[in-house]
Amino acid sequence: MAELQGPEAALFDFVVMGSGIAGLTFALKVAAVGTVALITKKDRSDSNTNWAQGGIAGVMAPDDSFDLHLQDTLIAGAGLCHEDAVRALVTEGPERIRELIALGTHFNKESDGDYALTQEGGHSRRRILYNNDLTGREIERALVESIHSHPSISVYEHHLAIDLAKSKDDDERICGAYVLDTLDGEIRTFLATRAVFLATGGCGAVYTHTTNPAIATGDGVAMAFRAGAKVANMEFIQFHPTTLYHPAARSFLISEAVRGEGGILRDRTGRAFMLDYDERGNLAPRDIVARAIDAECKKQNEPCMFLDITHVDAAEIQHRFPNIYARCLSYGIDMAREPIPVVPAAHYMCGGVVTDLHGRTSLPRLFASGEVTCTGVHGANRLASNSLLEGLVFSHRAAELFLTNTDHTPPLLEHVPPFRPYRGRVRVADTEALKQRIQTAMTKFVGIVRSDQRLQQAATALQVIMDEVDHLYATCRPTEDLLELRNLALTAQLIVRSAQQRKESRGLHTTTNYPETLESENHDTVLVKRKRTDFAVVGEL
Ligand SMILES: Cc1cc2nc3c(=O)[nH]c(=O)nc-3n(C[C@H](O)[C@H](O)[C@H](O)COP(=O)(O)OP(=O)(O)OC[C@H]3O[C@@H](n4cnc5c(N)ncnc54)[C@H](O)[C@@H]3O)c2cc1C
């Protein structure tokens, strides 16, 4: 049980922020050796994890190998993957997946009892385990059930971490987080004797069109950056090539597995165009497919392209993609009989808070895992279905540090600065218009194809917005909307600043000013905070 230190602070061994695959995995493992506060800003299952459709990659088939998975990941990453991180991912992945299965996660099986494996873009073998087209929901269910009633884990739903708490001692270690209870409006300090763990996921909401749920507002990256952590490779935002084009569909994702099972991208006339862009055709990696769709839309002045799987048996489609089939049908599209209209949308943040292979960030006592991090696994482009795996593998690696080592330092409350005064503030900021301005600037100027001029336009617009947000933060009541807006604005700035550093086109970063991939640019883009709005660029992770 937590040893309460007063109404405004609580002490645990571990303070974990985020209840997706990364946070839940870490919490579950370290709960064997200490008390855990699991802080999550909505309901416990509100996460990108819960929305994952396609599956989780792992070497399982006899014709597959760690080297093939490694090579596929390195090729997708366009020269920027860290091979040691990828090797850890692919070699330890299958064991971690078996642990998930032992926890009660169900993956589809063939009639002979072997796990069914599908293939996705960029994978040279069938190696994706899945649960129909709701794999993430199944993983989240199993993990949430496992933490439920765990005697060492206290779950704080509707608690939004605002900022990391740093000790006033010389070592400036991270010793907790200031957290808003979004139901009663109170702010409490959660303190950790052993580790503060960030698992807050990605930032799709910086764009107008995103596959991500509303929780993905870049909070973890922004919090860590404000606290002084290194953040890397934020220019590499993955756009999912195929989201449903329909005014009411809010960028509903059409899984890559639809192409894996034979789906063909066509234009309105029925012409299949992917072979014009890549010899792998419809199974080319996401960035190539997203750029191809973007290019065809622009060339033909069309709002969308079409994904055609009508040549596959209707019963098979309904069995394999029940969720996608039902959602499309609810919008009047029967994917077994007609092609699905699709457009790309912001999907995944390849960069993030820099960690080593055990989740250590550049700040003492701050650890991180999952989409919020930059471990070096994804490089300039993530290979499909490697991200659930990354959260699983690197949360385990981080937890391992604590299973053997019993070192802990209780932070003294008097050494932790109190959260800045906020009581008595009555003004509630109107955030919606500012949020839309961020999303519009990012969508217009920092999308799939960029240029120096567009990036500068975005930087200028975002600085004006940031100044307004800072003013609101200094004068208004800290509400969920305002805190998320503050994080969205900073995350957008980090993306733009990183993109401005990269004077080439590579992976997910394409710019018309520098269309070539250059050997001289074969390095990570690492940013740290110097002063309030000053982004210093440092050379290495
Ligand atoms: C539609 C969709 C389909 C996908 N399909 C696949 C797939 O098939 N295979 C694959 O590998 N990947 C897929 N991905 C990507 C994958 O789902 C994510 O990268 C992965 O789940 C991230 O896990 P995570 O634990 O790092 O973060 P998340 O699962 O996003 O969890 C983040 C958690 O942090 C909480 N949080 C955020 N900010 C705060 C804060 N300030 N305070 C407190 N809590 C906070 C959130 O509420 C949430 O609980 C998909 C993503 C989407 C959106």
Side-chain angles (χ1 to χ4, degrees):
M1 288 295 290
E3 180 192 331
L4 289 176
Q5 296 201 336
E8 295 186 357
L11 182 67
F12 292 82
D13 291 316
F14 302 93
V15 171
V16 178
M17 286 161 273
S19 56
I21 192 168
L24 291 169
T25 300
F26 181 80
L28 200 54
K29 296 203 174 218
V30 294
V33 293
T35 55
V36 180
L38 183 64
I39 293 163
T40 190
K41 68 180 177 180
K42 299 275 188 191
D43 291 337
R44 61 192 71 190
S45 292
D46 275 326
S47 61
N48 275 8
T49 300
N50 206 33
W51 285 39
Q53 293 181 349
I56 184 164
V59 172
M60 299 278 174
D63 69 341
D64 200 1
S65 71
F66 294 145
D67 276 339
L68 284 173
H69 191 180
L70 179 100
Q71 282 312 320
D72 292 344
T73 305
L74 296 181
I75 290 168
L80 284 195
C81 294
H82 293 215
E83 192 168 331
D84 53 353
V86 182
R87 196 168 287 284
L89 179 88
V90 303
T91 56
E92 296 171 23
E95 201 179 328
R96 300 286 85 78
I97 292 173
R98 279 190 274 276
E99 286 175 4
L100 262 190
I101 293 169
L103 274 184
T105 310
H106 298 292
F107 293 113
N108 284 28
K109 288 186 173 175
E110 302 288 3
S111 50
D112 62 4
D114 283 349
Y115 282 103
L117 299 171
T118 189
Q119 192 166 0
E120 293 184 333
H123 288 274
S124 59
R125 292 288 187 278
R126 287 189 165 256
R127 64 167 74 97
I128 320 294
L129 290 104
Y130 60 92
N131 181 305
N132 297 322
D133 52 359
L134 291 170
T135 309
R137 188 182 296 180
E138 172 60 11
I139 292 174
E140 182 86 17
R141 179 201 62 74
L143 286 168
V144 163
E145 278 181 21
S146 303
I147 60 150
H148 185 66
S149 330
H150 194 298
S152 298
I153 303 178
S154 306
V155 182
Y156 292 86
E157 292 178 309
H158 303 283
H159 277 64
L160 184 144
I162 304 170
D163 266 317
L164 298 168
K166 212 181 219 183
S167 162
K168 286 190 279 193
D169 295 340
D170 287 346
D171 65 359
E172 291 204 312
R173 69 176 185 274
I174 300 299
C175 49
Y178 306 108
V179 178
L180 172 74
D181 179 337
T182 59
L183 298 182
D184 71 10
E186 287 296 316
I187 293 174
R188 300 188 181 88
T189 308
F190 283 74
L191 298 172
T193 64
R194 302 194 66 189
V196 177
F197 193 79
L198 262 188
T200 47
C203 71
V206 299
Y207 288 93
T208 309
H209 301 292
T210 176
T211 63
N212 294 187
I215 54 104
T217 51
D219 297 4
V221 171
M223 279 190 278
F225 184 79
R226 281 194 293 267
K230 285 183 184 175
V231 165
N233 292 356
M234 290 294 290
E235 67 271 38
F236 299 116
I237 298 291
Q238 185 170 68
F239 286 78
H240 196 287
T242 52
T243 64
L244 180 59
Y245 177 73
H246 187 282
R250 269 205 75 246
S251 308
F252 176 69
L253 185 144
I254 308 297
S255 167
E256 196 142 1
V258 175
R259 285 188 287 124
E261 297 298 335
I264 299 167
L265 282 161
R266 302 185 188 279
D267 66 12
R268 193 175 288 282
T269 68
R271 184 179 66 90
F273 57 82
M274 271 315 300
L275 279 172
D276 298 349
Y277 293 87
D278 193 280
E279 61 186 14
R280 288 163 288 186
N282 291 287
L283 285 180
R286 291 187 173 164
D287 58 323
I288 294 172
V289 179
R291 272 199 303 276
I293 296 176
D294 188 57
E296 288 294 324
C297 286
K298 285 182 176 140
K299 206 162 66 186
Q300 304 188 36
N301 201 18
E302 287 282 358
C304 65
M305 290 289 124
F306 297 86
L307 183 57
D308 182 6
I309 193 162
T310 54
H311 50 285
V312 173
D313 180 59
E316 174 60 23
I317 292 173
Q318 287 169 34
H319 170 70
R320 178 68 182 84
F321 303 110
N323 178 41
I324 297 173
Y325 181 80
R327 276 295 283 273
C328 286
L329 207 56
S330 74
Y331 298 115
I333 301 157
D334 181 350
M335 65 188 273
R337 298 158 71 99
E338 60 193 304
I340 310 166
V342 289
V343 282
H347 185 54
Y348 185 81
M349 179 176 89
C350 289
V353 182
V354 174
T355 67
D356 69 6
L357 299 189
H358 295 277
R360 294 184 193 93
T361 71
S362 58
L363 299 179
R365 288 289 172 98
L366 179 66
F367 295 76
S369 165
E371 189 166 341
V372 71
T373 62
C374 180
T375 58
V377 154
H378 305 302
N381 187 13
R382 173 185 74 119
L383 185 65
S385 288
N386 267 356
S387 45
L388 289 169
L389 190 66
E390 184 191 34
L392 197 59
V393 167
F394 288 93
S395 288
H396 170 86
R397 289 184 136 251
E400 265 186 329
L401 294 176
F402 300 97
L403 300 184
T404 46
N405 170 358
T406 54
D407 165 46
H408 72 290
T409 321
L412 296 172
L413 200 51
E414 57 272 25
H415 291 200
V416 181
F419 189 70
R420 64 199 191 88
Y422 67 99
R423 288 211 168 78
R425 288 202 194 148
V426 285
R427 191 174 151 222
V428 175
D430 184 0
T431 55
E432 194 49 37
L434 283 166
K435 181 172 157 186
Q436 281 179 20
R437 275 165 58 192
I438 295 170
Q439 292 170 333
T440 304
M442 293 300 288
T443 303
K444 207 164 152 193
F445 302 129
V446 202
I448 294 175
V449 180
R450 301 159 180 181
S451 73
D452 280 354
Q453 192 191 6
R454 283 186 229 153
L455 290 176
Q456 191 48 50
Q457 282 173 292
T460 306
L462 289 171
Q463 191 52 56
V464 173
I465 294 168
M466 194 50 154
D467 290 343
E468 290 181 47
V469 172
D470 280 343
H471 175 70
L472 292 176
Y473 185 67
T475 54
C476 293
R477 230 170 67 195
T479 59
E480 186 174 1
D481 287 346
L482 177 56
L483 297 169
E484 288 187 343
L485 177 73
R486 178 174 173 243
N487 294 329
L488 282 173
L490 178 55
T491 306
Q493 286 189 310
L494 290 168
I495 295 169
V496 172
R497 183 57 66 103
S498 297
Q500 287 180 313
Q501 298 306 314
R502 189 162 290 283
K503 306 291 185 200
E504 63 161 354
S505 294
R506 180 189 295 271
L508 299 166
H509 176 74
T510 302
T511 160
T512 53
N513 294 94
Y514 313 98
E516 307 297 331
T517 301
L518 303 174
E519 190 50 40
S520 58
E521 291 288 307
N522 194 351
H523 53 75
D524 300 298
T525 311
V526 188
L527 302 179
V528 283
K529 180 171 177 278
R530 286 285 183 256
K531 286 183 293 183
R532 199 175 66 90
T533 54
D534 185 9
F535 301 82
V537 181
V538 296
E540 52 193 43
L541 289 190

